[in-house]
Amino acid sequence: MRQPHCTITPAVVRDTARAALQRALLWAAYGRLVSARRLLDLLLLVAARRSSLSAVVRRFRFGFSHEAARQAVAANLPGTAALTEGLVEALYSCGGRRWRQRRWDVALDLHYCPFYGDKAAAGAAGGPKKHGRKRHYAYATAVLVHRRHRHTVGLLPLAGKFKPHEVVAALLGQLPRRGLRLRGVVLDSGFDSGQTLLLLQGRGLSYTVPLRRKGKGSNRRNACFGLPVGTVTEVAWVTEASRRPVRTAAVVARRPSDKKVGVYAFGGWGPQEGARVRQRARLARRAYRRRFGIETSYRQANQGKGTTTKKDPAYRLLLFGLALLLRQAWVWLSGQLARARGLRPRAWVGALPLRTLLEWLADLLKARYKEAKAIPLGQPLEALDSPLVG
């Protein structure tokens, strides 16, 4: 009997992406023309082309108007809480069963999408100045940081003012509900509050988080920045709001980005009894260096993110979540390719670049929904001027 020949084709890419998106929500048809299948294809083409919903519907023959498409998406979108749960469930469609077989280290980070509209728009949050704006649609994500995995496993939209430890608690709460067991957490300096460290210590998790200076004066925390590189010390302070005492180990090291001296708070990373503190500090720094994969995941997700000027936070969350889903599908398919070819963990990415996957997806959908290569004017074209006769 002939053995089946399995290949990754544009149809496989479309089916994988569509299945993941379909798992996010209970998609329903809208009216007589907008079927659930066409609506999913429309959203996938919006993401693959990095375009807007209106532009894609006007350009390609989906069989309904851009206003019908807008109403169909709005009718299918629930509130942001339900949409977040659905998107996280969809992220687990790629490998969620295998993730339950071990304990993981995860990286948590904040992603800011600058917003250039009304400062009082619902869902917009303040943040660092980025691309000339301090108002953003912000999202927190959790990513596996194992050397062979860069899967997104947590997603949380942020609005208004938010506290770092509440964001960490909400993200970490999404993981055990889906059977994911944690060993350690690596965070950006934006999460260096005492409440965050107390939360992680209370849950018995290993952690690494760079500390920032507090104020311009001299205090126990700022004094650590003057210690020699390689020093392992203990830092203690009191939280500002609750006045709770915080105590953590810290190591002084050079930051990999700009080689400046940084102080990294850490806990865990190895057995507490019999393990030397310097050894645990090295493990903490090694875990933190793997955190930079989450920055790469944002750049990759932006390659498949649709555009919009709408203020609706649910629709913006859908576009961001869909971008993460497309990247997740790419990671999953690339992993299948790696195992089939027996390639080294970092050698398989070039076989199926994310840009190629998105091009395959867009070309397949464009072939199905033919491009309308005509632009109505509503009036005759003006005649060209007659050439001058010399």
Side-chain angles (χ1 to χ4, degrees):
M1 182 177 178
R2 184 177 180 182
Q3 291 292 100
H5 181 65
C6 299
T7 57
I8 297 177
T9 63
V12 171
V13 172
R14 178 203 57 197
D15 293 344
T16 303
R18 183 193 288 163
L21 180 58
Q22 195 166 13
R23 186 173 175 178
L25 293 174
L26 296 175
W27 298 95
Y30 183 80
R32 182 174 55 87
L33 298 177
V34 187
S35 65
R37 187 182 184 89
R38 287 194 174 191
L39 185 59
L40 292 175
D41 286 345
L42 170 60
L43 291 172
L44 290 176
L45 188 56
V46 166
R49 288 182 55 85
R50 297 180 62 188
S51 185
S52 67
L53 185 77
S54 176
V56 171
V57 176
R58 291 173 185 270
R59 185 168 181 178
F60 298 95
R61 294 190 176 98
F62 280 88
F64 46 83
S65 67
H66 67 282
E67 180 61 20
R70 183 193 66 79
Q71 294 178 3
V73 173
N76 277 276
L77 282 183
T80 55
L83 178 57
T84 301
E85 286 296 311
L87 290 172
V88 174
E89 284 293 335
L91 290 171
Y92 278 75
S93 63
C94 299
R97 191 172 297 176
R98 290 186 293 108
W99 297 343
R100 302 185 184 99
Q101 299 175 359
R102 54 163 295 166
R103 298 176 67 196
W104 297 94
D105 300 334
V106 297
L108 308 184
D109 202 1
L110 302 178
H111 181 63
Y112 295 96
C113 302
F115 177 61
Y116 296 90
D118 185 5
K119 294 182 179 180
K129 190 172 184 179
K130 184 177 180 181
H131 300 293
R133 298 296 294 176
K134 289 187 177 181
R135 297 292 294 175
H136 315 271
Y137 281 90
Y139 307 94
T141 59
V143 174
L144 300 182
V145 294
H146 188 265
R147 63 189 178 93
R148 298 186 183 183
H149 298 266
R150 285 296 183 271
H151 292 91
T152 304
V153 293
L155 171 63
L156 184 70
L158 306 175
K161 294 183 178 180
F162 51 87
K163 297 180 180 180
H165 68 280
E166 294 177 349
V167 175
V168 173
L171 276 178
L172 295 183
Q174 294 178 353
L175 311 185
R177 295 202 303 268
R178 293 166 177 86
L180 200 67
R181 296 181 297 159
L182 296 184
R183 183 186 67 169
V185 182
V186 288
L187 308 101
D188 194 11
S189 59
F191 295 99
D192 67 342
S193 69
Q195 295 282 11
T196 301
L197 298 183
L198 291 174
L199 170 67
L200 298 175
Q201 291 172 356
R203 298 195 178 192
L205 295 172
S206 300
Y207 61 88
T208 307
V209 54
L211 298 178
R212 296 172 294 182
R213 296 178 183 268
K214 289 296 182 182
K216 297 182 180 180
S218 60
N219 51 55
R220 288 173 293 179
R221 183 160 163 169
N222 291 349
C224 296
F225 288 86
L227 298 175
V229 173
T231 301
V232 179
T233 183
E234 189 175 73
V235 188
W237 70 92
V238 177
T239 60
E240 296 180 0
S242 59
R243 309 306 296 174
R244 297 177 60 189
V246 182
R247 188 178 299 273
T248 179
V251 57
V252 183
R254 294 197 180 278
R255 299 187 302 197
S257 57
D258 53 13
K259 303 303 180 183
K260 293 182 179 180
V261 174
V263 178
Y264 296 82
F266 69 91
W269 306 112
Q272 302 301 297
E273 297 180 1
R276 294 180 300 174
V277 66
R278 289 188 177 275
Q279 180 182 358
R280 293 195 291 112
R282 285 195 298 270
L283 293 175
R285 288 281 293 126
R286 185 184 304 172
Y288 184 77
R289 283 194 294 268
R290 295 201 300 267
R291 190 200 70 85
F292 293 100
I294 198 171
E295 303 292 347
T296 304
S297 71
Y298 291 143
R299 291 193 294 270
Q300 292 168 337
N302 285 335
Q303 297 182 39
K305 182 184 174 186
T307 60
T308 185
T309 57
K310 294 182 65 173
K311 301 176 184 179
D312 183 8
Y315 182 65
R316 286 180 172 268
L317 173 61
L318 175 65
L319 293 182
F320 183 69
L322 178 54
L324 293 178
L325 286 178
L326 289 176
R327 182 192 172 276
Q328 196 92 318
W330 167 69
V331 174
W332 184 76
L333 290 173
S334 297
Q336 299 288 316
L337 181 60
R339 283 187 289 274
R341 296 187 176 183
L343 301 178
R344 291 177 289 112
R346 297 182 182 179
W348 49 262
V349 177
L352 183 64
L354 178 58
R355 188 177 300 276
T356 298
L357 181 142
L358 294 174
E359 289 175 354
W360 284 6
L361 179 60
D363 290 344
L364 183 67
L365 294 174
K366 288 191 294 183
R368 180 170 183 177
Y369 304 98
K370 300 294 184 181
E371 182 178 2
K373 297 182 179 180
I375 304 175
L377 286 178
Q379 62 183 24
L381 282 172
E382 295 182 2
L384 294 173
D385 292 337
S386 300
L388 296 176
V389 180

